[in-house]
Amino acid sequence: MSPVTVSRALAQLAAEGLVVTRPGAGAFRARPRPTAAVAGDTSWQEVTLSADGAADLVPRSVDASGVLVSLAAPPPGVVEFNGGYLHPSLQPERAMAAALSRAGRRPGAWGRPPTEGLPELREWFARGIGGAITAAEVLITSGGQSALTTALRALAPPGAPVLVESPTYPGMLAIARAAGLRPVPVPVDTDGVKPALLTDAFRATGARVFVCQPLFQNPTGAVLAPDRRAEVLRIAREAGAFVIEDDFVRRLVHESAGPLPRPLAADDPDGVVVHVCSLTKATSPSFRVSALAAHGPVLERLRAIQIVDTFFVPRPLQEAALELVGSPAWPRHLRAISAELKARRDTMTSALRLDLPELSLPHIPSGGYHLWLRLPDGTDEAALTAAALRAGVAITPGRPYFSAEPPAGHVRLSFAAVAGTGEIAEGVRRLRRACDEVL
């Protein structure tokens, strides 16, 4: 077997406490674990954690189940249609390793960075956003999830309503609820959020925040139509509200998709948009470097909350990001995944049409890494998800993507986390068996 396999096996054994590794000496059998201590009584915590102190506050319980669906690795041999990141074969591992190595040798690379982030990295993100955004209006954050958390905490007090697309990213719903906010759904179609319903939602709730994914929306893959872009900004401005723009997969555009629309932030001189973008989706789940950009006084509040929460993003990681995006390997990597994601999307859509025509696919996206399918009326999502796992394929149920009652059953299928097109075809065949059991 290869040295990589041996290394991974030893790492797994070490994580399970069966062996210990000593650099320069080797791996050794671990001593037997001592008898477990007597468990204490933690029942008192149920009272403390649920004591909000005021009847009108939103409960503080945190549900991470919708996020864990795309974070937890399925058992060996299971086709991973529920993944939220690129398969290791698609990640620029060599380029990232070389960037990290070069970054570690930079003068001052292990010192304390500016709290807002390295100026050169802020400038790179600002150029990518475009418009009037400057480097001084960009904060470097530790991944898109952290940036969304900072933005929601900065813009809405506990108990306040926050408008969200329906369906939308479960991780954002979890952030909102953990912060004591009340997500209010605004339906989307294949052209993005519906402006008339957005107006109604602002008027009915008095909300001051709307969270939007205008490009390759998760999970529908929709792109906000050109005529709706200005409408969304106008509606939010008239409501005195902010738009949090989660621009999470701009770098995962499919080959031959054509020119992309600019970020909403690029066409916003009034500071309505708080922009979030990240390198993580196009690189690796561990390459957690992202940006938070905003105009006006809100920037100082965002900066203050980020400093209180995290101080700063580790400088070696920021330096590595600069090395990566400035290397010739970066544009080559983006071209490669653009072509590969298109091939995978086409393979999955063809297989679904052939083997599972009863699953409705209303929109085929030109970017991102997943498809959103509507199930036949009356289908039990949970039963189908369980049957699929028994058949050897992990899928994501649609329920966690809705902040209120869903209009129908759905599933999300990812084509980025699998090894290749052959595994996609096999996964769809396994899903056919699961559907035969449930439908």
Side-chain angles (χ1 to χ4, degrees):
M1 61 183 70
S2 72
V4 173
T5 301
V6 174
S7 176
R8 289 177 176 172
L10 286 174
Q12 180 65 32
L13 291 171
E16 294 175 6
L18 299 176
V19 302
V20 292
T21 56
R22 301 189 185 107
F28 303 86
R29 187 173 62 182
R31 289 192 178 95
R33 295 178 180 176
T35 303
V38 177
D41 180 8
T42 60
S43 59
W44 63 271
Q45 292 185 5
E46 296 183 37
V47 176
T48 301
L49 292 174
S50 62
D52 293 311
D56 58 342
L57 290 181
V58 175
R60 293 185 295 164
S61 60
V62 180
D63 182 7
S65 58
V67 182
L68 289 173
V69 167
S70 60
L71 290 179
V78 173
V79 177
E80 191 174 355
F81 279 174
N82 63 334
Y85 298 101
L86 297 179
H87 187 269
S89 64
L90 298 180
Q91 296 174 17
E93 289 188 348
R94 289 186 178 181
M96 289 188 296
L100 194 58
S101 177
R102 293 193 301 268
R105 296 193 297 269
R106 283 188 171 196
W110 295 92
R112 184 177 63 194
T115 54
E116 300 87 352
L118 297 180
E120 302 90 340
L121 189 56
R122 297 167 73 194
E123 175 63 35
W124 184 84
F125 274 111
R127 289 198 305 270
I129 298 169
I133 292 290
T134 66
E137 295 169 318
V138 174
L139 305 173
I140 303 301
T141 62
S142 182
Q145 190 80 354
S146 175
L148 287 172
T149 300
T150 297
L152 281 171
R153 288 184 57 202
L155 302 178
V162 56
L163 304 187
V164 300
E165 294 172 316
S166 181
T168 191
Y169 167 51
M172 189 278 300
L173 295 176
I175 292 170
R177 290 168 177 146
L181 305 177
R182 295 186 290 111
V184 177
V186 184
V188 302
D189 58 21
T190 55
D191 288 326
V193 69
K194 299 180 178 181
L197 296 181
L198 182 64
T199 300
D200 292 343
F202 273 125
R203 184 182 300 116
T205 65
R208 292 294 178 263
V209 179
F210 169 51
V211 186
C212 180
Q213 292 178 329
L215 186 66
F216 310 135
Q217 197 258 359
N218 184 10
T220 65
V223 175
L224 189 62
D227 60 321
R228 294 188 183 184
R229 289 167 57 86
E231 272 288 277
V232 167
L233 294 180
R234 179 190 62 78
I235 292 166
R237 180 70 183 85
E238 291 179 355
F242 289 98
V243 174
I244 298 176
E245 179 184 23
D246 184 9
D247 198 16
F248 72 116
V249 285
R250 180 166 292 271
R251 295 172 182 88
L252 295 187
V253 60
H254 299 169
E255 189 178 57
S256 305
L260 297 182
R262 303 201 310 172
L264 292 180
D267 300 317
D268 167 44
D270 299 326
V272 171
V273 178
V274 173
H275 181 86
V276 175
C277 57
S278 174
L279 288 174
T280 304
K281 290 296 185 185
T283 54
S284 158
S286 289
F287 206 85
R288 306 200 66 75
V289 177
S290 61
L292 190 56
H295 283 309
V298 70
L299 183 65
E300 182 55 35
R301 182 178 293 187
L302 293 166
R303 174 180 175 274
I305 290 178
Q306 181 189 320
I307 290 172
V308 168
D309 283 351
T310 61
F311 289 1
F312 46 76
V313 177
R315 182 162 189 154
L317 196 54
Q318 293 191 56
E319 298 279 9
L322 275 172
E323 288 283 355
L324 177 64
V325 300
S327 72
W330 180 242
R332 288 199 301 268
H333 166 64
L334 294 182
R335 287 194 297 271
I337 59 172
S338 175
E340 180 64 20
L341 289 176
K342 179 182 182 297
R344 290 169 174 232
R345 180 204 66 190
D346 292 346
T347 297
M348 182 173 275
T349 54
S350 297
L352 288 168
R353 285 169 173 164
L354 179 64
D355 294 336
L356 287 164
E358 64 268 45
L359 302 189
S360 172
L361 180 59
H363 177 66
I364 299 176
S366 57
Y369 54 90
H370 58 263
L371 299 177
W372 181 244
L373 297 133
R374 178 166 174 156
L375 302 176
D377 291 344
T379 303
D380 186 331
E381 276 184 16
L384 179 59
T385 302
L389 195 57
R390 289 193 298 271
V393 57
I395 63 175
T396 305
R399 182 64 186 88
Y401 291 83
F402 292 91
S403 62
E405 292 76 12
H410 293 81
V411 292
R412 196 192 78 159
L413 303 182
S414 168
F415 46 80
V418 295
T421 54
E423 195 168 43
I424 290 174
E426 174 59 24
V428 172
R429 284 193 290 270
R430 296 180 185 185
L431 186 56
R432 172 72 270 173
R433 294 201 299 270
C435 287
D436 288 341
E437 177 184 334
V438 174
L439 299 183

